[in-house]
Amino acid sequence: MSVARYFDEMSYGPAPEADGEARAWLKKHETGFSHFIAGAFVKPAEGQYFETAEPATGAKLARVAQGSAADIDAAVSAARAAQVKWAKLSGHARARHLYALARAVQRHGRLLSVVEAIDNGKPIRETRDIDIPLVARHFYHHAGWAQLQASEFADQVPVGVVGQIIPWNFPLLMLAWKVAPALALGNTVVLKPAEFTSLTALLFAEIAADAGLPAGVLNIVTGDGATGAALVAHDGIDKIAFTGSSEVGKLIREKTAGSGKSLTLELGGKSPFIVFDDADIDGAIEGVVDAIWFNQGQVCCAGSRLLVQEGIAETFLSRLKHRMQNLRVGHPLDKAIDMGAVVAPVQLERIKSLVAAGVAEGADLFQPDIPLPSGGCFYPPTLLSNVQSAASVMREEIFGPVLVSMTFRTPDEAVMLANNTRYGLSASIWSETIGLALDIAPKLQAGVIWINATNLFDAAVGFGGYRESGYGREGGREGAYEYMKPKAWAKRKPRIASTLPAAQPAEDGFGLPHLDRTAKLFVGGKQARPDGNYSRAILDPKGRKIGEVGEGNRKDIRNAVAAARAAEGWSKATTHNRAQILYYLAENLSARAEEFAARIAAMTGFSKAKAAAEVEVSIERLFAYGAWADKYEGAVHQPPLRGVALAMNEPIGVVGVICPDEAPLLGFISLVAPLIAMGNRVVVVPSEQHPLSATDFYQILETSDVPAGVINIVTGAARDLNKTLAEHDDVDALWVFGAAELSATAERLSVGNLKRLLTDHGLVTDWFDAAAAEGPILLRHAVQVKNIWIPYGE
């Protein structure tokens, strides 16, 4: 073929990346890759290995150690031994270690990118130009947090030993997302890479050791799901950070219930890609290519649901199909391809079966007539159009190069369709009207929103989801907090179970008896009798009955949740309005301070002075959250692109609250006030032993302009009501302060919708200490952060 013909046809020829160094490195380890524990490579305790294959050819690639419980134990022991010394290093010293890792990644960037492409099957262009630069960026960025830790996180301490489990779709990038913040902030790590793609993690371990990272700070144990399960179950782990499927995330939540381990779960997604009729169609089509065919669609935040406004749908799909005809699928080391290989045969079969199910349910299938390499795990770019919202391919995460499409007419319908999923990881909005895009973004129930862009990532910008896409954030300041815990909570002591006094007989005689008063529930802005029409006696410390409260049950919780859900206007109210109402609550409580102090003294036996102090601090706390309501704001991130990312604090939604017995009024106020200040609506179970100050408080609510349904109070047995709240899938989050068994129950039973949890694990909080019970320490848990990316320019 002549040069002139090449210019005439403009056809692509092969542009292979040299893989000599990568193959030489693999050859050096052909007898088998070992675990990396305590700064050295050690053979598996049980002597077991497994083989991995090259996705593009199916050929054997490596022999990798199969981790056992003994290997995990050795790695955790090494991490524990190193953690105290690592945390005691100055922030500057840790910053220099992370800086060295960043520089080392850059020096070895080409080797890392080639090994990643061979091991995972993704195109070398993606590993070279996206993955590896982002890996270095994460270590650079978190070196900065290490340097600034003493000033920026002065009220925090490291979590301790962190177990991290990463997926196969971005093997090295996921390592950096997790390892960099953990190490920067004084933790040590035991990491389990994905079974399919362990090689770049082991190569990184070699690089880290050569860069002088102290032994035991980073430990890597390879293996299958059983290895990950052993890591999750290990008593020496203080935190689990997991990225993977929602099904496994739910299992981890259940298995760690009651253990005290903190969790970060970055799970699946079924993200909408919304195209309005005023969008730049060509730009949006290129966005689709990046959204779903990047990394063969094996991306948790892939824009796999295409929603196109009806007026442009026909034109858009026609031009999209034309663009698909020009996509190239080929060997990952070819620099001129768009798509490489799917990671493994089992994943390829899953993709095929889901596409077949979609066609059987009525979808129109389009696959371009383009060549695929013979052998290996290749699948063509695929479009399923005219898909119904209830179809399996519209609801299930396919995790492959498959786009499903449907149309909408109005912006409201677009929002409804976009939110019609159990996931909530990301979304992409395409419109030339920035006002429209910024109006839609807050309405989408997702943690990351891209405007006229897709799949933008940066270490300075938090990433994570809502609902069954998990909780916690990775990256940015919010991601840094995931690897620390408040100093004020680090020394909490176990709660000593209180014993109820024996009920004393009522005094008889011929004097006037006390007028009967049974406190009702407070649901939807009204006092309500309990569904079961039962009540429970409330006793003072000497066993004398001082009142009765309603015995709430499952139906009462259902009614309260429905009332809270209906009060969504509170979440849309201005922060100024919420602040004014909190101040009003404080004002009205102040007017009845003596009455509330007397009630507390009667219930608890506290001295008058201590009861009066509790009321005064409760008033002050309401004032504090009135102040925070319009001051706990988001941030403007400046990632390295022409644009900004707005980190917006959003209310979580409907939050259940279980209050402790100590400080019955102050504990109640301290938990409810931050939630409503941030726009949440609550269903609160007050102190089981001392609920009367909370039932008195609903008279304050009735006179303080609090909208109906914002605060709902259901009295009764904490154990039963906690269980009901944990199982209720219309409750978005649950705060549990009380006996340790309540925390364990909440964590175990909340897996249905993966509600966000804040539990004290039976440890007592000093509610009078503002450092432990007021301000950002609780406000961080009262919001979820949404990052909205807004690129500049045409």
Side-chain angles (χ1 to χ4, degrees):
M1 183 179 289
S2 67
V3 173
R5 185 174 172 186
Y6 277 121
F7 275 105
D8 213 27
E9 294 183 353
M10 294 297 288
S11 59
Y12 287 96
E17 173 73 26
D19 62 353
E21 287 193 31
R23 299 292 179 183
W25 179 76
L26 290 167
K27 179 72 173 176
K28 187 173 70 172
H29 294 279
E30 64 180 345
T31 59
F33 285 91
S34 299
H35 305 307
F36 183 74
I37 298 174
F41 285 94
V42 297
K43 293 185 177 182
E46 297 182 357
Q48 299 296 313
Y49 291 82
F50 61 92
E51 292 186 353
T52 66
E54 189 173 345
T57 64
K60 175 187 171 182
L61 188 60
R63 188 167 175 260
V64 180
Q66 171 60 44
S68 64
D71 297 313
I72 292 294
D73 190 58
V76 172
S77 295
R80 181 63 63 191
Q83 197 273 321
V84 173
K85 292 179 181 178
W86 179 250
K88 284 184 177 179
L89 283 180
S90 68
H92 174 66
R94 276 184 270 114
R96 289 187 52 167
H97 277 293
L98 266 75
Y99 176 79
L101 291 174
R103 294 289 288 156
V105 166
Q106 289 179 317
R107 285 197 305 274
H108 297 281
R110 188 54 61 95
L111 175 60
L112 286 164
S113 62
V114 173
V115 173
E116 190 85 315
I118 293 171
D119 195 25
N120 172 272
K122 64 172 64 181
I124 184 68
R125 286 191 306 112
E126 294 178 8
T127 62
R128 181 195 64 199
D129 300 341
I130 299 174
D131 293 15
I132 304 307
L134 270 175
V135 170
R137 164 71 174 150
H138 272 269
F139 282 102
Y140 277 126
H141 178 80
H142 287 96
W145 280 132
Q147 180 72 38
L148 301 175
Q149 183 176 7
S151 60
E152 293 300 303
F153 302 114
D155 60 341
Q156 302 286 313
V157 294
V159 170
V161 176
V162 181
Q164 300 179 328
I165 302 172
I166 58 175
W168 45 258
N169 57 336
F170 291 92
L172 189 60
L173 182 54
M174 290 295 101
L175 177 149
W177 278 27
K178 288 179 165 52
V179 168
L183 300 191
L185 299 165
N187 306 280
T188 53
V189 167
V190 178
L191 179 135
K192 192 203 88 68
E195 180 181 2
F196 293 145
T197 54
S198 302
L199 299 185
T200 45
L202 296 168
L203 175 55
F204 179 82
E206 289 184 7
I207 292 170
D210 185 62
L213 190 68
V217 171
L218 172 64
N219 306 273
I220 297 175
V221 180
T222 56
D224 57 14
T227 311
L231 180 58
V232 168
H234 199 287
D235 290 339
I237 293 292
D238 300 302
K239 174 185 176 66
I240 293 292
F242 171 78
T243 296
S245 71
S246 297
E247 291 73 22
V248 176
K250 289 181 178 183
L251 187 61
I252 291 173
R253 169 74 281 172
E254 187 175 359
K255 294 297 183 183
T256 58
S259 68
K261 295 181 175 78
S262 66
L263 289 182
T264 300
L265 300 176
E266 196 268 281
L267 307 176
K270 193 71 178 174
S271 301
F273 189 103
I274 307 170
V275 184
F276 287 97
D277 57 11
D278 66 340
D280 174 351
I281 292 180
D282 289 331
I285 286 173
E286 289 307 308
V288 169
V289 172
D290 289 338
I292 188 59
W293 295 306
F294 170 60
N295 197 21
Q296 298 72 251
Q298 299 169 136
V299 184
C300 54
C301 56
S304 56
R305 287 190 297 145
L306 174 62
L307 307 177
V308 185
Q309 197 155 18
E310 199 171 83
I312 62 167
E314 185 176 350
T315 298
F316 190 92
L317 292 180
S318 175
R319 288 160 74 170
L320 177 61
K321 291 175 182 178
H322 178 74
R323 179 66 178 89
M324 292 171 68
Q325 289 287 167
N326 293 290
L327 293 174
R328 302 185 73 243
V329 180
H331 193 282
L333 292 182
D334 186 345
K335 294 188 283 286
I337 64 160
D338 300 295
M339 289 172 50
V342 173
V343 72
V346 64
Q347 183 62 20
L348 182 61
E349 289 306 312
R350 171 180 165 79
I351 295 167
K352 290 179 178 178
S353 65
L354 282 169
V355 169
V359 172
E361 292 172 344
D364 296 332
L365 172 68
F366 175 79
Q367 291 175 330
D369 183 18
I370 57 177
L372 299 181
S374 58
C377 297
F378 293 95
Y379 194 80
T382 299
L383 170 65
L384 295 174
S385 55
N386 295 322
V387 179
Q388 300 301 310
S389 60
S392 58
V393 290
M394 186 62 78
R395 307 186 69 83
E396 297 300 322
E397 185 179 32
I398 298 174
F399 223 63
V402 181
L403 179 68
V404 296
S405 173
M406 63 187 307
T407 63
F408 66 89
R409 292 182 179 179
T410 67
D412 286 345
E413 186 183 5
V415 170
M416 179 189 70
L417 292 171
N419 290 337
N420 183 30
T421 174
R422 66 182 188 273
Y423 298 111
L425 188 53
S426 65
S428 187
I429 304 168
W430 292 77
S431 170
E432 290 295 279
T433 306
I434 191 65
L436 172 63
L438 290 177
D439 177 58
I440 296 298
K443 298 175 182 178
L444 299 178
Q445 296 174 7
V448 181
I449 309 293
W450 295 293
I451 294 177
N452 292 328
T454 190
N455 281 338
L456 298 177
F457 311 102
D458 186 61
V461 183
F463 182 88
Y466 291 7
R467 302 191 291 187
E468 290 190 38
S469 288
Y471 45 76
R473 292 293 182 266
E474 296 186 295
R477 180 183 288 267
E478 57 264 41
Y481 276 114
E482 301 291 342
Y483 289 97
M484 297 178 290
K485 58 186 178 183
K487 282 183 181 177
W489 287 359
K491 297 182 179 180
R492 293 186 296 185
K493 303 296 183 185
R495 181 177 281 102
I496 299 174
S498 58
T499 55
L500 294 174
Q504 300 299 311
E507 296 181 4
D508 56 8
F510 292 97
L512 287 173
H514 291 292
L515 290 175
D516 175 69
R517 182 186 176 200
T518 301
K520 299 174 183 175
L521 313 182
F522 189 70
V523 176
K526 299 177 181 179
Q527 298 179 40
R529 295 188 184 278
D531 170 70
N533 207 26
Y534 286 100
S535 62
R536 61 167 48 207
I538 304 303
L539 308 178
D540 71 8
K542 295 182 179 180
R544 296 172 300 198
K545 187 169 81 169
I546 56 175
E548 294 186 18
V549 297
E551 188 72 72
N553 64 17
R554 177 180 293 272
K555 187 174 180 181
D556 296 311
I557 291 291
R558 184 195 71 184
N559 293 341
V561 171
R565 184 61 64 191
E568 62 179 349
W570 180 252
S571 298
K572 300 173 184 177
T574 66
T575 55
H576 171 74
N577 178 249
R578 295 201 295 262
Q580 296 306 299
I581 289 177
L582 281 156
Y583 288 136
Y584 199 12
L585 285 168
E587 176 187 335
N588 287 334
L589 178 58
S590 178
R592 297 173 60 179
E594 291 186 7
E595 174 191 339
F596 274 83
R599 174 67 85 185
I600 292 170
M603 287 190 301
T604 63
F606 293 167
S607 67
K608 290 183 178 179
K610 185 175 180 180
E614 181 172 341
V615 176
E616 189 55 41
V617 176
S618 298
I619 295 167
E620 182 180 342
R621 196 137 293 164
L622 286 167
F623 253 81
Y625 285 112
W628 277 115
D630 59 359
K631 297 174 185 66
Y632 191 69
E633 299 176 319
V636 179
H637 297 308
Q638 295 178 291
L641 84 159
R642 292 183 63 237
V644 296
L646 306 180
M648 310 293 291
N649 289 332
E650 294 191 339
I652 300 168
V654 175
V655 182
V657 180
I658 306 293
C659 295
D661 285 329
E662 66 270 9
L665 177 63
L666 181 56
F668 172 90
I669 295 293
S670 297
L671 295 174
V672 169
L675 285 165
I676 65 170
M678 295 296 102
N680 301 286
R681 298 89 74 194
V682 300
V683 176
V684 56
V685 178
S687 162
E688 180 177 342
Q689 192 170 346
H690 309 303
L692 295 178
S693 55
T695 57
D696 288 347
F697 193 78
Y698 62 57
Q699 298 169 8
I700 302 290
L701 298 175
E702 290 174 323
T703 58
S704 301
D705 294 339
V706 178
V710 171
I711 299 177
N712 305 274
I713 301 171
V714 180
T715 52
R719 177 183 297 180
D720 298 335
L721 300 177
N722 173 59
K723 178 176 181 292
T724 301
L725 284 167
E727 293 175 329
H728 201 304
D729 282 350
D730 212 23
V731 174
D732 302 302
L734 181 57
W735 289 14
V736 179
F737 287 74
E741 65 175 285
L742 296 177
S743 295
T745 297
E747 290 173 344
R748 186 176 67 256
L749 299 181
S750 64
V751 298
N753 68 340
L754 278 176
K755 55 177 61 67
R756 293 183 56 174
L757 296 175
L758 177 62
T759 58
D760 69 358
H761 301 289
L763 304 176
V764 181
T765 301
D766 182 357
W767 299 105
F768 288 85
D769 179 7
E774 179 183 303
I777 196 169
L778 289 172
L779 288 169
R780 279 195 296 274
H781 299 277
V783 298
Q784 47 193 357
V785 181
K786 172 181 286 182
N787 278 282
I788 304 174
W789 291 72
I790 310 172
Y792 297 157
E794 294 296 327

